[in-house]
């Protein structure tokens, strides 16, 4: 029907013409449910009301009871394609419906209802944030998607004092948190490189960036969570209250509950950032300097690194954001045909309060072994620095290169294995441009909470290595999807055979035995928590950890 609107069913949102009917509806919930049933049956027979119902192939599988639930928000059975897509672009599975919650009780009601359908039901539930998953992790084939960005309760609130924090709904974007907390001169201490992600999404995975060497990942910087379990129960949890659920949900890949709100720790926000980049010819000097810097207290506030393979005009490209210390030498530097390693640093400061930081930065850089002609520096606001990836996003969107497949691979490599990894991967497996950034930087495990569900190497220092490739549509060259996936598999095969201490971050497996190997000795705890909080394996089916109902062994 022309101009049809998507189905939007709830007790509060059913609109039936006629004042008498409306009055009856307001006074009798039981009658409402009966009228819903009649409407649903009637609509299947009338061609001019197709837009009010699930399509015919959906109708037989929709539990009518689901459509009767008294949501504050609404349930939609149309325009579902967005929920079958994600940033990775590798998987696409249509859900049965999308719930747009307006309250935590909406989420609890939906999950509780699916749980009460019992083990005979195949209906699954997945929470979807900003859609930045890589391999369909936030999808639910034929199931129910909960659009977390619709959840705006509790409203974001900043609490100042000796221990400042911000309370936010699980669907809030980190960029919005930054804007709001800066109004109070505060900001979270740990970030991801890209801020247009939801709180619930990053806390369910880890949340790692260049501040993690000092503050740990984002999951280390949370005071309290509100969680809806796979039974539909709502819990407040923290280190001292329901701590097993608290630790399980953090980094738990959505397997034990849906994060509906979080209290995130804050610190005084810097006003300015000195942003620095330098290059290295050899990996050994590069990694040695990185490890030295993360061991220093009060040196830099952010430490990351990149691998640059055959990048023509590399330093000229930097000039749009950075100033070279020696413009003449920088203009003569040739990066073509080389594998180079970029050390990226940031020093936070407040020019109104702090002593000038230039001298301290010069002293710290004087102990490093980088190529002297490649020192570039810029001074920006904290907001500009933390939201730096968004600038690249806008450029890629403008050129039509943002919404392409992103077959990313993220690894955590222990210090003892990083040299072998670099020699094989950067020397033999990776030949030519990777068609996207390759991040590589170390973190201190002593700064990480080891009770969370996130799996890390056993050593005190390990590296995040992230291959953030974009696949060009229809390409059969090295920048094509199949070629990048084959390269990723070669890297994984090498790690499995030669580097037993290496783990995946944002893990991607298709078999339960691979998940068991990933968790190792922690698999028993993982299973115990699954049985306790989501025994019917309702939540996050897109992770492909549990294909069937959980069996007690």
């Amino acid at each position: 029907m022309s101009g049809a609107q998507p189905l939007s069913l709830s007790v509060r949102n059913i609109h039936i013409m006629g004042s008498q009917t409306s009055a009856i509806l307001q006074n009798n919930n039981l009658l409402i449910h009966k009228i819903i049933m009649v409407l649903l049956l009637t609509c299947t027979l009338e061609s001019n009301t197709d837009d009010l119902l699930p399509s015919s192939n959906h109708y037989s599988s929709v539990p009518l009871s689901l459509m009767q639930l008294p949501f504050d928000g609404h349930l939609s059975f149309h325009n579902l394609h967005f929920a079958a897509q994600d940033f990775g672009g590798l998987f696409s599975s249509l859900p049965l419906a999308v719930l747009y919650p307006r309250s935590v009780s909406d989420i609890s009601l939906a999950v509780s209802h699916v749980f009460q359908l019992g083990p005979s039901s195949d209906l699954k539930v997945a929470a979807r944030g900003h859609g930045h998953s890589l391999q369909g992790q936030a999808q639910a084939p034929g199931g129910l998607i909960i659009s977390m960005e619709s959840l705006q309760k509790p409203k974001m609130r900043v609490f100042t004092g000796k221990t400042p924090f911000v309370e936010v709904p699980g669907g809030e974007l980190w960029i919005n948190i930054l804007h709001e907390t800066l109004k109070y001169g505060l900001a979270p201490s740990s970030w991801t490189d890209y801020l247009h992600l939801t709180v619930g999404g990053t806390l369910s995975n880890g949340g790692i960036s260049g501040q993690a060497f000092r503050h740990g990942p984002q999951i280390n910087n949370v005071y309290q969570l509100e969680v809806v379990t796979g039974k539909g129960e709502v819990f407040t949890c923290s280190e001292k209250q329901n701590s097993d659920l608290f630790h399980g949900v953090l980094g738990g890949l959505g397997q034990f509950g849906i994060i509906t709100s979080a209290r995130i720790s804050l610190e005084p926000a810097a006003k300015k950032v000195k942003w620095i980049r330098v290059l290295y010819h050899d990996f050994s000097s590069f990694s040695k300097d990185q490890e030295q810097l993360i061991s220093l207290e009060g040196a830099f506030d952010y430490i990351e690194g990149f691998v640059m393979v055959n990048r023509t005009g590399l330093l000229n490209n930097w000039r749009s954001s950075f100033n070279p210390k020696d413009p003449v030498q920088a203009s003569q530097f040739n990066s073509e045909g080389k594998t180079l390693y970029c050390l990226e640093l940031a020093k936070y400061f407040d020019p109104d309060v702090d002593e000038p930081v230039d001298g301290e930065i010069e002293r710290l850089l004087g102990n490093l072994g980088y190529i002297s002609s490649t020192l570039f520096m810029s001074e920006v606001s904290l907001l500009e620095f933390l939201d730096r990836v968004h600038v690249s996003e806008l450029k890629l969107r403008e050129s039509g290169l943002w919404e392409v497949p992103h077959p990313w691979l993220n690894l955590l490599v222990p210090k003892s294995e990083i040299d072998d990894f670099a020699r094989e991967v950067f020397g033999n497996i990776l030949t030519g441009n990777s068609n996207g950034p390759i991040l590589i930087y170390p973190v201190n495990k002593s700064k990480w909470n080891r009770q969370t569900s996130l799996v890390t190497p056993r050593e005190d220092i390990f590296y995040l290595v992230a291959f953030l490739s974009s696949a060009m549509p229809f390409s059969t060259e090295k920048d094509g999807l199949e070629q990048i996936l084959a390269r990723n598999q070669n890297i994984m095969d090498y790690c499995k055979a030669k580097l037993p201490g290496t783990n995946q971050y944002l893990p991607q497996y298709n078999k339960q035995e691979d998940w068991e190997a990933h968790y190792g000795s922690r698999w028993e705890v993982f299973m115990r928590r699954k049985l306790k909080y989501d025994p019917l394996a309702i939540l996050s089916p897109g992770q492909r950890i549990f294909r069937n109902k959980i069996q007690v062994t």
Side-chain angles (χ1 to χ4, degrees):
M1 182 170 79
S2 175
Q5 298 296 313
L7 176 66
S8 192
L9 284 178
S10 78
V11 169
R12 291 173 174 81
N13 293 338
I14 296 175
H15 302 287
I16 302 176
M17 298 302 293
S19 58
Q20 285 186 326
T21 308
S22 297
I24 294 172
L25 287 177
Q26 293 172 358
N27 294 318
N28 195 323
N29 282 339
L30 178 61
L31 183 56
I32 289 175
H33 291 172
K34 292 181 179 178
I35 292 176
I36 292 173
M37 300 289 284
V38 173
L39 284 173
L40 292 173
L41 294 173
T42 303
C43 287
T44 60
L45 304 175
E46 298 184 13
S47 60
N48 64 345
T49 55
D50 288 343
D51 58 318
L52 296 177
L53 270 180
S55 57
S56 57
N57 62 326
H58 275 92
Y59 181 72
S60 61
S61 61
V62 180
L64 292 182
S65 54
L66 182 65
M67 293 185 283
Q68 298 177 57
L69 297 178
F71 294 122
D72 296 321
H74 66 276
L75 197 63
S76 176
F77 294 89
H78 286 273
N79 298 330
L80 304 178
H81 289 282
F82 81 94
Q85 309 297 326
D86 60 21
F87 183 72
L90 305 179
F91 289 81
S92 181
S93 298
L94 273 174
L96 178 72
V98 174
L99 172 64
Y100 296 89
R102 292 184 59 189
S103 63
V104 175
S105 62
D106 278 356
I107 299 173
S108 173
L109 182 63
V111 177
S112 175
H113 182 77
V114 175
F115 178 73
Q116 290 170 15
L117 292 176
S120 62
S121 171
D122 291 324
L123 196 62
K124 306 293 185 183
V125 178
R128 186 182 194 274
H130 206 52
H132 214 263
S133 298
L134 296 174
Q135 292 211 355
Q137 288 93 338
Q139 297 178 28
L144 177 64
I145 297 294
I146 299 177
S147 178
M148 296 302 294
E149 287 187 285
S150 297
L151 180 65
Q152 295 301 313
K153 295 180 181 179
K155 292 290 185 182
M156 191 187 325
R157 293 188 298 167
V158 176
F159 295 81
T160 60
K162 290 185 178 180
T163 309
F165 65 89
V166 59
E167 186 172 59
V168 297
E172 191 63 79
L173 298 180
W174 284 98
I175 183 62
N176 296 337
I177 295 173
L178 178 59
H179 281 294
E180 183 64 21
T181 56
L182 283 177
K183 297 175 183 178
Y184 299 82
L186 300 167
S189 54
S190 189
W191 296 93
T192 51
D193 289 327
Y194 180 64
L195 304 188
H196 297 250
L197 307 171
T198 61
V199 167
T202 66
L203 295 184
S204 294
N205 288 281
I208 305 175
S209 187
Q211 303 88 1
F213 78 95
R214 173 172 294 174
H215 300 287
Q218 289 181 319
I219 58 175
N220 270 42
N221 295 273
V222 181
Y223 291 140
Q224 182 176 289
L225 299 172
E226 182 183 64
V227 174
V228 177
T229 70
K231 299 178 182 179
E233 298 170 323
V234 182
F235 289 100
T236 297
C237 53
S238 65
E239 288 280 0
K240 296 182 178 180
Q241 180 182 6
N242 298 311
S243 59
D244 183 65
L245 180 61
F246 181 72
H247 294 135
V249 167
L250 292 171
L253 307 179
Q255 293 303 301
F256 313 120
I258 297 170
I259 297 173
T260 52
S261 72
R263 288 185 176 180
I264 300 160
S265 65
L266 300 175
E267 66 177 8
K271 290 186 178 179
K272 291 289 184 179
V273 177
K274 289 285 188 180
W275 187 7
I276 304 155
R277 284 181 180 174
V278 294
L279 290 177
Y280 290 74
H281 280 305
D282 67 288
F283 181 79
S284 178
S285 297
F286 166 73
S287 59
K288 177 184 175 183
D289 282 354
Q290 281 190 317
E291 290 173 16
Q292 176 193 340
L293 290 173
I294 69 168
S295 70
L296 300 177
E297 289 293 335
F300 291 102
D301 297 284
Y302 161 99
I303 299 172
E304 284 198 9
F306 306 89
V307 182
M308 311 287 196
V309 181
N310 193 22
R311 295 284 293 275
T312 303
L314 175 61
L315 296 190
N316 284 333
N317 294 336
W318 285 3
R319 291 175 184 269
S320 61
S321 302
F322 297 86
N323 297 313
K325 181 178 181 181
D326 190 328
V328 175
Q329 288 191 30
S331 65
Q332 296 173 350
F333 183 82
N334 181 19
S335 60
E336 188 171 355
K338 301 175 181 177
T339 296
L340 299 166
Y341 305 94
C342 171
L343 175 61
E344 184 173 60
L345 308 167
K347 180 70 175 174
Y348 299 169
F349 68 102
D350 185 341
D352 299 328
V353 177
D354 299 329
E355 294 290 328
V357 296
D358 290 344
E360 183 184 1
I361 290 174
E362 186 173 350
R363 178 182 61 81
L364 290 168
L365 293 177
N367 297 321
L368 306 181
Y370 60 89
I371 304 167
S372 60
S373 62
T374 66
L375 173 57
F376 278 64
M377 191 178 301
S378 179
E379 184 175 311
V380 295
S381 69
L382 182 66
L383 175 60
E384 288 176 287
F385 174 71
L386 292 176
D387 199 29
R388 62 196 178 279
V389 176
H390 187 52
V391 176
S392 300
E393 175 192 352
L394 296 176
K395 292 178 181 178
L396 290 170
R397 285 189 183 277
E398 188 175 329
S399 58
L401 296 177
W402 181 257
E403 294 182 356
V404 298
H406 296 92
W408 289 5
L409 176 64
N410 296 269
L411 302 170
L412 301 176
V413 184
K415 175 184 174 179
S416 65
E417 296 178 354
I418 195 63
D419 286 339
D420 290 339
F421 178 93
R423 190 178 302 111
E424 176 64 20
V425 174
F426 304 141
N428 296 321
I429 296 177
L430 189 66
T431 56
N433 195 314
S434 66
N435 211 48
I438 303 174
L439 308 185
I440 181 166
Y441 55 90
V443 296
N444 293 311
K445 190 169 183 176
S446 62
K447 306 293 184 179
W448 295 46
N449 186 333
R450 305 185 188 193
Q451 293 179 285
T452 68
S453 291
L454 180 62
V455 176
T456 61
R458 295 181 178 181
E459 297 181 16
D460 290 336
I461 294 176
F462 56 88
Y463 283 73
L464 172 72
V465 186
F467 299 87
L468 310 182
S469 301
S470 299
M472 294 299 98
F474 312 113
S475 173
T476 57
E477 304 299 322
K478 291 183 179 179
D479 60 358
L481 178 59
E482 295 303 320
Q483 288 71 23
I484 295 173
L485 289 174
R487 181 206 68 192
N488 289 351
Q489 189 59 54
N490 288 340
I491 294 172
M492 286 302 303
D493 290 344
Y494 169 72
C495 292
K496 186 174 182 179
K498 301 294 185 180
L499 308 178
T502 294
N503 304 115
Q504 278 197 51
Y505 173 59
L506 308 180
Q508 306 165 7
Y509 300 108
N510 290 313
K511 299 178 181 178
Q512 185 165 318
E513 54 262 36
D514 291 330
W515 283 106
E516 291 183 27
H518 173 76
Y519 283 99
S521 61
R522 300 175 65 184
W523 177 251
E524 183 178 343
V525 173
F526 194 87
M527 280 291 297
R528 176 183 60 75
R529 286 172 172 164
K530 189 68 173 177
L531 282 165
K532 183 175 181 180
Y533 302 115
D534 184 24
L536 297 185
I538 290 169
L539 300 177
S540 297
Q543 295 284 0
R544 298 184 289 281
I545 302 177
F546 300 100
R547 303 280 183 165
N548 303 306
K549 307 295 184 296
I550 311 300
Q551 300 295 324
V552 180
T553 58

